[in-house]
Every structure is written in structure tokens, then in C-alpha cells.
Amino acid sequence: MKKLTSYVAAGLLSVSGHAAIAQQSQVFSNEDAAADSVEATEDAVRDDFKRSRDNHRFGFDRKLGWYGSVSATANASAGNTETADVGIGARFGHFDGTNGHDVTFSYALSDDEDTRTANSGLLGYDYSRVLNERWYGYGKLRAQYDEFGAFEEDYFAGVGIGYRVIDSGSSRWRVQGGPGWRMTEASDGNREYEGAALISSKFYHRISDTAFLTNDTDILYSDADTLISNDLGVNVSISGPLALRASLRTDHHTDPTPGRKHTDHRLGMSLVYTFN
């Protein structure tokens, strides 16, 4: 079998100043992923651009100004099997010392033997406001499309409060939550409009000067369905701005569209290029 594989990563473009990637405030970086994802059913490319420098997004050492990122992944095989996978992502935002704005976008497409196996995209906007050294407030908008997901469309808008539990330098942990509104559409066209609630936990631990671990957990509740997402990843610096990221994401829906599975797992290996 003859196989050709190409992997392209273009990452994280600094828009101006020395702003840190993937952080909105001294306390936290809102995600629509949250990346928060909610960040449901997100793929590896989304992980790359949303958390390439988690040591900044969790601390109080956030610098002021604009920041931004762009990333892309691609791989293909030819011969006994014909496959193609592409993904793009972008994040741009601004922090003025109190208020943070963050816009994220991602899209992924996969084909296997001329059969579409993945087609998903996410667009999110987050606003954050630092209240004091421990507390922050936030607002969130998220729109997600996934042709093969538990729900084909999933929209969320919400507000809430967050608290920084741990900041030991090498380990940081924050929790946040609040009410919102959710609209889901199943593959059969059935739509649900209802109140919802989102609870999130974001954890970071520096393993060494060149490696760190992150674990993000999100619980999005509504009457139609409860989504539980967990994203575990390890970033290891290769040389300068180059880093290698390995991640495992699990998404569990309590009430998916009939015929769709409750749980999805994604194991990703990514090359990340960052400068900020």
C-alpha cells in the first residue's frame, strides 16, 4: 500500500502588542470552548488554537492589547485507501485590563473513500469582566454545526460568574457557571428552544519548563439533553515557538438524536506554531 501523508500547521498569529494567546482576562480565558466549547464535539484543530499557551490564560500575568491565532491541519492518503482530512481555526480578541473580548471560529471536513465522514463548524464570542482578584463575570454566544453529531445544530447564549480556586504558579484551576438559553436541532429537523445552565472547570498544570497539561470539563444542561465534555491534553515544546500537542476529548450526550451514539471520543496529535 502506498500512502502519502501531509500535516500542515500554521498557528497563532499575534495581531499586535504582547497579548497572550487564548486568554481574556487576568483570571481566565473565556471559551466558547469554550474550546467552552461549551465546545461540544470539537476536533483536534480546535484544541490547538484555543490552548496553545494555557499558562497565560490561567494567570494574572496577562498583558494588554490585541491577540490572535490562525491554525490549520491537513492529511491525506492514497492507494488502497483514499482519505482526506482538513481543519482550520482562528481566534482574535482584545483585553484592556478589565474587559476582554474573544471571537473564535473553526471548521473540520473529512472524507473516506469519497464518503463524507465529518463536517462540522463552530463560531463563538465571549465577553469577560474582571471583578477582583478571584471573581469575574462573563457572557457567551456559541453556534455549532455538526452533520454527524448528536445534534446537527446547537446554539447557546448565557451569562455567569467565575471563581479562581487555585493559582500556585505551577497549577491553576478555575470554575464558572450560569444560566442561558439553548436551541438544538436534530437531524430529523426537530427543534427545541429552552432554558439551560452551563458549569465549567478549567485546570492547568506545568509539568516542566517545556511541557504543561490541561483538563477542561463542561456540563451543559437543558431538558432536551445534557452534554458532558472532557478535554485532556499535553503540550510539549519542540523548539522555540514549535510545540507538539496530544489530546483526548470525550463528549457524552444523555439524549442524542435517535440513531446517534451517546458518546464520542477523539484522540488527536497536533503540531502547533505560536508567537505572541
Side-chain angles (χ1 to χ4, degrees):
M1 178 181 69
K2 182 179 179 181
K3 185 174 182 180
L4 172 66
T5 302
S6 64
Y7 190 92
V8 180
L12 309 178
L13 172 63
S14 175
V15 179
S16 69
H18 302 282
I21 296 298
Q23 155 137 18
Q24 282 197 14
S25 71
Q26 295 170 320
V27 183
F28 78 116
S29 166
N30 272 328
E31 299 160 14
D32 101 25
D36 265 40
S37 104
V38 150
E39 307 172 27
T41 61
E42 294 179 349
D43 49 39
V45 66
R46 189 172 296 123
D47 299 335
D48 295 344
F49 74 82
K50 84 177 181 180
R51 300 202 284 263
S52 62
R53 283 293 181 267
D54 283 308
N55 55 327
H56 291 291
R57 73 182 251 243
F58 280 87
F60 279 133
D61 55 354
R62 171 84 196 275
K63 297 190 174 97
L64 306 179
W66 292 93
Y67 59 88
S69 66
V70 177
S71 63
T73 62
N75 67 77
S77 64
N80 291 322
T81 60
E82 302 283 342
T83 64
D85 302 277
V86 296
I88 59 174
R91 173 182 292 272
F92 298 98
H94 182 268
F95 177 62
D96 65 7
T98 300
N99 303 286
H101 303 270
D102 193 53
V103 177
T104 56
F105 165 79
S106 67
Y107 179 72
L109 181 68
S110 297
D111 285 311
D112 187 356
E113 301 292 347
D114 296 324
T115 299
R116 184 67 48 80
T117 57
N119 182 22
S120 63
L122 183 143
L123 177 65
Y125 166 74
D126 292 278
Y127 166 78
S128 65
R129 183 176 180 85
V130 175
L131 302 178
N132 57 39
E133 289 188 351
R134 290 284 182 178
W135 295 92
Y136 59 87
Y138 70 88
K140 177 183 298 296
L141 298 173
R142 183 183 66 89
Q144 181 174 327
Y145 171 80
D146 191 341
E147 183 178 354
F148 303 100
F151 291 94
E152 192 165 295
E153 296 182 32
D154 197 341
Y155 302 91
F156 177 77
V159 296
I161 195 82
Y163 181 74
R164 190 180 62 133
V165 181
I166 297 175
D167 185 5
S168 66
S170 61
S171 297
R172 301 181 180 106
W173 177 33
R174 64 179 174 86
V175 294
Q176 64 183 50
W181 173 88
R182 188 185 187 192
M183 190 281 280
T184 57
E185 180 173 328
S187 56
D188 59 6
N190 181 50
R191 288 195 173 194
E192 297 286 348
Y193 301 85
E194 55 189 349
L198 174 65
I199 300 174
S200 302
S201 168
K202 312 297 176 183
F203 177 77
Y204 160 86
H205 177 69
R206 189 176 69 241
I207 302 171
S208 68
D209 290 340
T210 59
F212 63 85
L213 174 147
T214 62
N215 191 78
D216 294 355
T217 303
D218 299 296
I219 302 175
L220 175 61
Y221 168 81
S222 66
D223 286 341
D225 170 70
T226 297
L227 168 63
I228 303 172
S229 299
N230 193 80
D231 199 342
L232 174 67
V234 177
N235 277 42
V236 179
S237 176
I238 299 174
S239 176
L242 287 176
L244 186 67
R245 177 174 175 80
S247 63
L248 174 62
R249 182 178 181 86
T250 300
D251 295 307
H252 177 79
H253 287 266
T254 58
D255 298 282
T257 302
R260 302 289 175 89
K261 293 182 178 180
H262 286 263
T263 305
D264 291 306
H265 301 283
R266 288 184 179 83
L267 179 64
M269 185 69 72
S270 308
L271 182 67
V272 184
Y273 178 76
T274 303
F275 58 95
N276 36 318

